[in-house]
Amino acid sequence: MDSHQLDIVSLAWCRELGLPHDALRRPGTRTVRPDPDTVRFVRLGDASALVGPEWLLDRAADLDDDTLAARATLVELTRDHRGRVAGPRLLAFAGQVGSDVDAEDPLVSHDLQHVQTLEALCPPDDVAEARLTSRRAWFTVVDETRRPLAGAGYDEWQGIVARIGVLTAPQLRRHGHGSVAGRLCTNDAIDEGMIPQWSSHPENTASRRLAAHLGYEELGSVTEVALS
């Protein structure tokens, strides 16, 4: 990722959080914005941003970013408001097209029907993680009988970032099918002029390993809290 690509990523997140366009390009600073309905803490490189109610901003004011990024911290800070914490999720980005497709002339489908068939083969948690049917561009690797093996897709976010999801049939994992689908999807997003973004739970080592193999670089994290 070069500096221009980092500017694009930070701009997308600043738009999402309602912050000045350069807020996440100020190393060593945390930008805050009051919002009575939303709680999100985002880190990108050495900068961070916290959006939330005034009472949360006050409670977090003396905490460093490492502490605030911990799930347990936001659970405790929002306990009396019955906060339900999602995350943290690691954010990784790819800046270059990769040539290592890991397969020769793979059979690829772009049809929603194959995505749905693949999802039916996978555990609900994996389906929810990848969210393939909510994407707009699909790359499903199929065998000679058109049986789906793995799939990837992306949706355009803030006009400049492509959010990537990858899903592999459980019995066919560790055969490289997810890597093929992920590479084709990532390359297409870059060719369309976007920066691909990969999101993983910290404990999901398989997802993080695949992202690294495809050239994604972990540069930040996001934690969200739903308040009652």
Side-chain angles (χ1 to χ4, degrees), residues 94-110:
Q96 295 183 346
V97 168
S99 59
D100 53 330
V101 179
D102 293 337
E104 185 175 350
D105 297 326
L107 297 177
V108 179
S109 166
H110 303 286

Side-chain angles (χ1 to χ4, degrees), residues 17 27 30 50 52 60 98 105 113 145 172 181 186 196 198 203 210-211:
L17 299 172
R30 178 192 301 168
L50 178 62
D105 297 326
Q113 180 179 355
T145 67
L172 298 172
T186 297
W198 190 290
E203 64 273 15
L210 176 56

Side-chain angles (χ1 to χ4, degrees), residues 121-150:
L121 300 173
C122 299
D125 287 349
D126 293 347
V127 173
E129 176 89 2
R131 296 193 304 110
L132 288 190
T133 53
S134 70
R135 315 293 182 182
R136 69 166 180 83
W138 302 291
F139 298 80
T140 305
V141 179
V142 298
D143 63 14
E144 294 80 0
T145 67
R146 308 300 288 179
R147 177 185 61 152
L149 310 174

